Amino acid sequence: MDRTLSHPHLTTGKPELPFPSVSISLGLVVGVGFGLMLGSFGSWVVPFQTGIFVDEFALTLSESGTLGTVEIGAMAVVMLICAPALRRWKRSRVATIGALMAASAQAATFWTGQYEALIGARLLTGVGCGLIYAAVLASTAAVSEPDRLMGFGQVLMNIAFALIFFVAPLIVAVWSGPAIFLAFALLTLALIPTFSALPLGKPSNEESSKVGDERTRITASPVAMHFFAVSLLNLGFGAAWGFAERAGTTIGLSPAAIGFLFSISTIAMIVGSLGVAIMGTRFGRAWPMLLAAIGCGVSGPLLMIGQDIVVYAAALMLFVTTNQFIAPYFMAGVSAQIESSGALSSMTGGVTFLTYSLGVGAGGYIIETASYAANGWFVFSVCVASGIVFFVNDKFIIKKAA
């Protein structure tokens, strides 16, 4: 028996938005780009924060890891919980509230030295970042080309993170490790005005009535397949990225060499993001996603067992390029194609962070019980499998449900 979901804002094929489509503008790209940056702080700077917690706050590695888990876990849960309400809430207001919460929590991290208080501060940081990221992802569903909008946003995000990673060590050297959290708080507050360009999430009464009269039905299969593919892909992402630095040390690379490669990897990230921003859906979504997922998979074994710096560097660049290329497609494009109000985009973000964190744990377990090579082949298997599921979902199930 065919199980279906019924909602006035659910649609398939080319999104038929429940409110007028928004054009991609410079202001919108800036709002999305900085929103992606602030919203994903938890996953990008956790390794950097861990060092500060250990060196400056005198925490153990276990305690520092717990703080990271609490922060990223809170992000994922918030995005999943608030997704349905994003149809009614003003996205710029949601992002602003999240930014105020995150800034307050970052400042609290600077002021406190108690482990229990730090848990609360990082939990609140994750909640705030989750609200920002959810609002931004939901906003991408309001444009006719969500893949391109998120691609351009990622370009700005990657440039911003490159600058942050350059300036952050200077702040630590001149002031102290904890000062970086105060700097993060001030940066978050300074970027709040950019959220004003995010589109409204609530249609007018007239539009709501019109959409309510023209209900569409969609089978649950596209949503289930989508989440399955997203989960597989991010398990691979976490298992690969979580141990990319350690894999470099096993083949004798110095910390300076690894740091240099990670620094220039931001260029590869920009290339991947710019590629999808320029290409959009010119060749559809199925083939680009399949090829990108295969690229991510191939990088896994090469990254984990590459025996020299050339192979390791090539694998690292392939991983980050394909990672940043495929993200706009599954987070923004496919999500908006299946469900155009933005709720599914937010939920996809939550599933992404949740399964990414599980991937890090899975990678550690595989390496400890087997080997780096086994972890590399795990990455290959789940990433390639995700590409196949994405392809089948886009080519057959979504179109059949339309």
Side-chain angles (χ1 to χ4, degrees), residues 191-354:
L191 294 178
I192 286 178
T194 64
F195 298 148
S196 62
L198 298 182
L200 299 175
K202 183 178 181 179
S204 67
N205 292 333
E206 181 180 350
E207 290 164 335
S208 298
S209 176
K210 181 178 179 181
V211 174
D213 291 338
E214 297 176 0
R215 291 175 178 268
T216 57
R217 293 168 64 83
I218 179 173
T219 64
S221 299
V223 178
M225 291 284 283
H226 178 62
F227 283 149
F228 181 50
V230 169
S231 298
L232 287 174
L233 186 68
N234 284 283
L235 284 173
F237 283 171
W241 188 247
F243 302 93
E245 184 271 341
R246 291 289 88 191
T249 63
T250 63
I251 61 173
L253 298 183
S254 67
I258 296 174
F260 173 74
L261 291 175
F262 272 67
S263 296
I264 64 173
S265 70
T266 56
I267 299 175
M269 293 178 184
I270 292 172
V271 170
S273 300
L274 193 58
V276 67
I278 294 173
M279 190 173 73
T281 55
R282 185 176 305 170
F283 303 103
R285 294 189 178 99
W287 282 108
M289 293 180 73
L290 175 60
L291 295 176
I294 292 174
C296 287
V298 169
S299 70
L302 296 177
L303 196 60
M304 294 292 117
I305 61 178
Q307 295 302 307
D308 57 59
I309 190 172
V310 175
V311 175
Y312 178 84
L316 181 64
M317 299 308 152
L318 176 61
F319 174 80
V320 298
T321 301
T322 52
N323 175 296
Q324 292 294 285
F325 179 82
I326 196 173
Y329 282 117
F330 76 79
M331 273 190 166
V334 177
S335 297
Q337 183 181 14
I338 296 174
E339 195 273 334
S340 63
S341 77
L344 187 61
S345 296
S346 175
M347 293 180 69
T348 299
V351 172
T352 293
F353 284 112
L354 183 61

Side-chain angles (χ1 to χ4, degrees), residues 36-60:
L36 289 173
M37 182 199 72
L38 294 176
S40 60
F41 250 34
S43 59
W44 279 75
V45 304
V46 157
F48 185 72
Q49 291 177 176
T50 298
I52 294 176
F53 286 138
V54 172
D55 296 336
E56 303 282 347
F57 289 79
L59 301 181
T60 65

Side-chain angles (χ1 to χ4, degrees), residues 8 24 85 88 149 151 164 190 282 299 339 385 402:
I24 298 178
R88 304 184 302 273
L149 172 59
I164 289 172
R282 185 176 305 170
S299 70
E339 195 273 334

Side-chain angles (χ1 to χ4, degrees), residues 168-193:
L170 300 179
I171 295 175
V172 173
V174 173
W175 286 283
S176 66
I180 199 66
F181 295 105
L182 185 58
F184 288 162
L186 295 175
L187 176 63
T188 302
L189 293 175
L191 294 178
I192 286 178

